[in-house]
Amino acid sequence: MLLACFFSSKNEVLIFVNCKVMNQTILNKLPENSLLTQIKDYINSAPLRRIKRTGSIGLSFNTIRNLQRFYILIKEFETNISKTVYLTDIDHSIVNKFQEWLLSTKMYSVNNAGLQLKLLKMVCKEAERKGVEVNVYTRQIESFTQRSKDRLLQTLSFEDINLIKNLNHLPDTLENSRRWILIGLYIGQRVSDLLVLKPGQVRSASKGLYVDILQQKTEKHITVGIVDPDVIDIIENSFPYQISQQLFNKQIKQICKLAGITSMVKGYKICDKTRRKRLGVYPKCDILSSHDLRRSFATNYFGKISTPILMHITGHSKESTFLTYIGSQANKDAYADAFINLASTL
């Protein structure tokens, strides 16, 4: 069995792809204008690729991982249609077939299917830039995301947070995750930044604590202020030990259930059979995940703390993106209230 290695310049680790899934594709080299060849070339050039947004060199770990999954997905799609996909073949018909296969057969979410089309266009655009012949239709490939009105966002209110704070006598492993939950609810970071926090990133402030963070996704250096006394006590006296994201997501559901956060809400839950998200009405604790901690932070403080300050902490660059992120949970009167409060003091 052949093992292909790809480097991530961001954290200088080897990412191994099991080529048993890729079968003989790499052993029997495909023509330059095959889609699989161009995806592989894109991944192999990852350490030297310039990131336009930041001006830095090297694709992120997540981007490389998405491209590796895309490679395997295209290999599966080729098996489904019983043909190799060449760049000159990628016309309106095959793109529509690919999109329908993602949504109907693979049962991908709208956002995940949209990401695959975005990657398809990205790889084709790069191939064309290198002088490889590409179907002109690839320039018209359009990605998509779920409509804002169809998004179902879950957050933990301050009342919910108090229920979690008041939990006592938990087993050690659940108590450890409870501490991570409370820290996450008050620093507003992605789980990839939350679960790698160390006591050395914490400094004393005049009215609380500073937490210094280098955000993995945005590569921004930020400092978050913490004033909640319970979270300060956890950080200073019982800092949690590190756990995996998978275990953390599982234990968030257990802890929220024990806290009584069980009201029935509409949302998406992973189906055990298909391993895809299925829309339904479930106990709130069953559909909460680590990402909802960050969204809860942004939602709970929106309208109370200046939006630019919240955006700096969460890592959002555009206000429109930030407002979409907190969605229907946002207080639509927040800006008017802020203006009234300030204007009344003039």
Side-chain angles (χ1 to χ4, degrees):
M1 181 176 66
L2 178 65
L3 217 59
C5 307
F6 303 108
F7 284 94
S8 168
S9 62
K10 182 173 182 179
N11 49 14
E12 299 179 352
V13 298
L14 280 171
I15 302 173
F16 293 96
V17 177
N18 189 333
C19 290
K20 184 176 182 181
V21 180
M22 297 181 185
N23 214 322
Q24 297 298 313
T25 301
I26 297 177
L27 291 175
N28 301 327
K29 185 172 175 60
L30 287 167
E32 183 184 34
N33 69 334
S34 79
L35 178 56
L36 286 175
T37 296
Q38 289 304 315
I39 298 171
K40 183 161 66 70
D41 288 351
Y42 203 108
I43 296 171
N44 288 338
S45 67
L48 301 178
R49 299 194 70 84
R50 182 179 182 275
I51 311 302
K52 185 182 295 186
R53 176 173 53 83
T54 62
S56 59
I57 295 295
L59 298 182
S60 70
F61 175 90
N62 287 338
T63 301
I64 296 173
R65 182 184 59 186
N66 286 339
L67 283 163
Q68 290 170 345
R69 291 172 176 171
F70 182 56
Y71 184 102
I72 295 170
L73 186 69
I74 292 300
K75 182 65 179 174
E76 187 179 346
F77 178 64
E78 288 184 341
T79 300
N80 179 263
I81 62 175
S82 302
K83 63 177 290 187
T84 298
V85 177
Y86 295 99
L87 301 186
T88 50
D89 298 334
I90 303 176
D91 56 11
H92 181 269
S93 175
I94 201 165
V95 170
N96 275 357
K97 187 178 295 184
F98 181 52
Q99 178 178 317
E100 182 179 350
W101 179 73
L102 290 172
L103 293 170
S104 301
T105 303
K106 296 294 289 181
M107 297 181 67
Y108 274 21
S109 67
V110 171
N111 287 341
N112 196 2
L115 170 63
Q116 307 314 314
L117 289 177
K118 180 180 179 181
L119 293 173
L120 175 62
K121 184 172 185 177
M122 181 178 76
V123 170
C124 291
K125 184 177 180 180
E126 174 62 13
E128 186 175 28
R129 190 185 68 80
K130 294 188 301 183
V132 180
E133 185 180 0
V134 176
N135 192 308
V136 294
Y137 178 76
T138 59
R139 303 172 193 170
Q140 301 176 43
I141 295 173
E142 295 183 350
S143 181
F144 47 80
T145 58
Q146 190 177 43
R147 293 177 299 183
S148 295
K149 70 183 184 71
D150 292 334
R151 297 174 74 228
L152 298 170
L153 309 180
Q154 307 302 328
T155 60
L156 291 165
S157 66
F158 283 121
E159 290 76 15
D160 293 330
I161 295 171
N162 284 331
L163 293 175
I164 296 172
K165 284 184 176 183
N166 292 330
L167 278 176
N168 295 309
H169 309 300
L170 294 175
D172 178 68
T173 181
L174 290 182
E175 173 58 28
N176 187 69
S177 287
R178 186 186 76 93
R179 295 170 188 172
W180 277 125
I181 289 172
L182 292 175
I183 294 173
L185 286 164
Y186 284 92
I187 67 170
Q189 302 305 300
R190 298 175 181 86
V191 67
S192 56
D193 295 318
L194 169 64
L195 294 181
V196 296
L197 280 180
K198 297 178 176 61
Q201 294 172 247
V202 180
R203 297 180 288 126
S204 295
S206 59
K207 295 183 179 180
L209 295 176
Y210 295 131
V211 181
D212 299 316
I213 297 168
L214 172 59
Q215 294 176 332
Q216 292 185 29
K217 182 175 181 179
T218 64
E219 298 185 351
K220 292 180 180 178
H221 289 273
I222 68 161
T223 297
V224 181
I226 296 179
V227 295
D228 184 84
D230 296 309
V231 178
I232 290 175
D233 180 63
I234 288 172
I235 290 175
E236 290 184 332
N237 301 308
S238 53
F239 201 94
Y241 55 82
Q242 294 188 6
I243 59 173
S244 69
Q245 293 184 25
Q246 183 178 13
L247 177 60
F248 186 47
N249 273 307
K250 179 180 179 180
Q251 293 187 337
I252 285 173
K253 295 171 175 57
Q254 293 176 281
I255 291 167
C256 288
K257 183 177 182 178
L258 290 171
I261 305 171
T262 56
S263 59
M264 302 300 289
V265 295
K266 190 175 182 180
Y268 294 92
K269 182 181 177 181
I270 296 291
C271 173
D272 292 335
K273 184 177 180 180
T274 64
R275 303 309 301 166
R276 301 294 177 198
K277 290 182 178 180
R278 176 179 293 176
L279 179 62
V281 178
Y282 308 101
K284 186 174 180 179
C285 58
D286 288 352
I287 55 178
L288 288 167
S289 68
S290 57
H291 195 80
D292 295 321
L293 306 181
R294 179 170 176 259
R295 182 177 283 113
S296 297
F297 169 88
T299 302
N300 288 337
Y301 285 108
F302 178 69
K304 303 178 180 71
I305 303 295
S306 169
T307 299
I309 292 176
L310 292 178
M311 289 170 55
H312 174 76
I313 293 172
T314 60
H316 288 97
S317 299
K318 297 181 179 179
E319 185 172 346
S320 57
T321 306
F322 174 81
L323 293 177
T324 298
Y325 178 70
I326 58 178
S328 60
Q329 301 293 328
N331 177 4
K332 304 303 182 182
D333 296 334
Y335 287 115
D337 290 340
F339 175 82
I340 291 171
N341 291 336
L342 289 172
S344 64
T345 64
L346 299 178

